[in-house]
Amino acid sequence: MATWKQIDLTIDGQLFKAQAPVIVSASRSTDIPAFYADWFFKRLEIGYSAWTNPFNGVKSYVSYDKTRFIVFWSKNPRPLLNHLNELKEREIGCYIQYSLNDYEEEKLERGVPPIAERIDTFKKLVDTLGFGGVIWRFDPLMLTDDIDIDKLLEKIENIGDQLKGYTEKLVFSFADIALYRKVKSNLEANRIPYHEWTEEQMKDFAGRLVELNKRKGWNYKLATCGEKGRYPGVEPNHCIDDELIIRRAYHDKELMAFLKADVRPMPEPNLFGESEPLPADAIILGNGQYATRGDNRDKGQREFCGCMKSKDIGEYNTCVHLCEYCYANASKEIALANYKRYCLNKNSETITGK
């Protein structure tokens, strides 16, 4: 995982060391926007929060003193609408990874609002953040006795038609149940008749999605999250994406310095209308400027993860969407118990109220 500058933090007269990340992930481990938005923005105001390492149980501190950008992850980010102005006032940039799936009929995501409400939320967030500020994810792609590839594509087509003009990208991943012990045990405990994806099915789905994207005129960038396979017309995603961060916050000199980004004017054409070629990895900013950047990849992530360096501030066993296939909860009971504790102590420095 990425390491961050350590700063001194004084809490109730005691001195602690705290990580001070420039980019915050909120969060891969739980749905902070849906359930803990008020908590998070209060902690942002206070200046720090505490976090418990899921692997060794050690409590550590995160300072927001250096934070310049936040990537939110959510299945219901509607509560963020009440807080986005606070980020603007603090001059902190953001975008949202929005998992907008449709498993309504199959009841695989019992805790999320109806699909129509979630699509409305997506559009309202884009109206606030601007185009490119909300990324559509259909993640994970589940196969069960009741859901085959045809049905998944029908679901995607329905949502894709409604999001045209509101997003530039569709990110997807194939449910890899055998790889994740929690997913397998949760599906079996909830008696969901799941099926593992085969490589042939993945190729078939990706090819048909590419064709659908062209036929419908969506022209979405199609990308996979953490997948080994490579499919024509589909790129590997960078969910914590330095290119997108640069496009949205190139004016932030401190953030650009962290990303090793160099913002330059576009080359002027000579008398013959010719200009110097741009670097192969140039990021066009659309205002007469372009940018290049260094290697920002977080090499501590999964083998096929393309994310950049960030600090995730969530905790597992705290999401109460209670999805049947959940990878972040050991069980629904543990997640509900932690959420109940949080509700009794919403001013805690940790999500779990401990």
Side-chain angles (χ1 to χ4, degrees), residues 232-245:
V234 181
E235 61 188 42
N237 199 47
H238 312 285
C239 300
I240 309 291
D241 186 346
D242 56 352
E243 178 178 342
L244 181 55
I245 293 171

Side-chain angles (χ1 to χ4, degrees), residues 24 61 124 159 197 294 302:
V24 166
Y61 291 90
K124 281 183 167 63
I159 299 173
W197 286 84
R302 295 175 296 162

Side-chain angles (χ1 to χ4, degrees), residues 72-221:
F72 292 104
W73 311 67
S74 186
K75 288 184 177 177
N76 178 27
R78 199 174 190 92
L80 288 181
L81 290 167
N82 297 325
H83 293 286
L84 291 176
N85 280 339
E86 298 172 45
L87 291 183
K88 190 173 182 180
E89 290 167 4
R90 295 177 182 278
E91 298 183 327
I92 295 175
C94 78
Y95 64 81
I96 302 168
Q97 293 278 353
Y98 191 164
S99 291
L100 180 53
N101 306 330
D102 178 8
Y103 295 124
E104 212 164 48
E105 179 185 342
E106 297 81 12
K107 296 181 171 57
L108 294 183
E109 298 177 340
R110 295 173 186 269
V112 301
I115 185 71
E117 181 180 326
R118 285 181 283 140
I119 290 172
D120 179 69
T121 293
F122 196 109
K123 293 178 178 180
K124 281 183 167 63
L125 287 165
V126 174
D127 289 342
T128 301
L129 291 174
F131 186 74
V134 189
I135 305 300
W136 175 29
R137 304 176 70 91
F138 202 111
D139 174 33
L141 292 162
M142 295 292 300
L143 290 178
T144 71
D145 284 356
D146 301 314
I147 307 172
D148 59 13
I149 290 175
D150 288 340
K151 196 157 193 176
L152 283 171
L153 289 168
E154 286 174 13
K155 293 172 182 291
I156 289 172
E157 182 174 4
N158 175 51
I159 299 173
D161 284 343
Q162 297 181 69
L163 293 186
K164 187 177 180 181
Y166 284 91
T167 190
E168 60 185 0
K169 182 182 279 189
L170 165 57
V171 181
F172 62 94
S173 71
F174 302 104
D176 192 345
I177 296 160
L179 187 63
Y180 293 97
R181 180 179 54 80
K182 288 181 184 176
V183 175
K184 188 174 188 296
S185 63
N186 283 329
L187 285 170
E188 290 174 352
N190 298 319
R191 298 179 181 176
I192 304 300
Y194 66 86
H195 302 285
E196 290 278 9
W197 286 84
T198 66
E199 184 57 43
E200 282 304 310
Q201 286 175 317
M202 294 180 198
K203 290 178 181 177
D204 178 42
F205 175 88
R208 291 172 64 183
L209 181 60
V210 169
E211 191 279 328
L212 179 66
N213 188 37
K214 292 178 182 176
R215 177 165 55 82
K216 301 294 290 192
W218 296 336
N219 298 317
Y220 297 142
K221 294 179 184 177

Side-chain angles (χ1 to χ4, degrees), residues 235-354:
E235 61 188 42
N237 199 47
H238 312 285
C239 300
I240 309 291
D241 186 346
D242 56 352
E243 178 178 342
L244 181 55
I245 293 171
I246 290 167
R247 284 199 281 120
R248 293 189 62 78
Y250 60 86
H251 55 278
D252 187 326
K253 292 182 180 179
E254 186 177 341
L255 180 58
M256 294 305 100
F258 170 75
L259 293 172
K260 302 180 283 291
D262 187 8
V263 179
R264 306 173 184 177
M266 295 287 283
E268 293 281 348
N270 60 24
L271 292 174
F272 303 100
E274 301 168 336
S275 57
E276 294 180 22
L278 294 176
D281 63 343
I283 302 166
I284 308 300
L285 301 176
N287 62 343
Q289 294 179 297
Y290 74 96
T292 59
R293 80 282 202 186
D295 180 7
N296 299 304
R297 187 178 174 197
D298 186 351
K299 297 174 178 63
Q301 294 291 342
R302 295 175 296 162
E303 181 182 0
F304 301 107
C305 176
C307 281
M308 306 300 118
K309 299 167 187 172
S310 67
K311 172 58 182 172
D312 199 285
I313 53 94
E315 294 195 40
Y316 290 114
N317 296 312
T318 58
C319 182
V320 287
H321 284 312
L322 306 180
C323 299
E324 307 299 330
Y325 54 79
C326 184
Y327 74 90
N329 293 335
S331 72
K332 294 178 181 179
E333 292 74 21
I334 294 174
L336 286 167
N338 282 330
Y339 185 68
K340 183 178 180 180
R341 187 186 303 109
Y342 158 78
C343 289
L344 294 172
N345 189 13
K346 292 186 177 182
N347 294 320
S348 171
E349 60 189 10
T350 69
I351 280 179
T352 56
K354 294 179 181 178

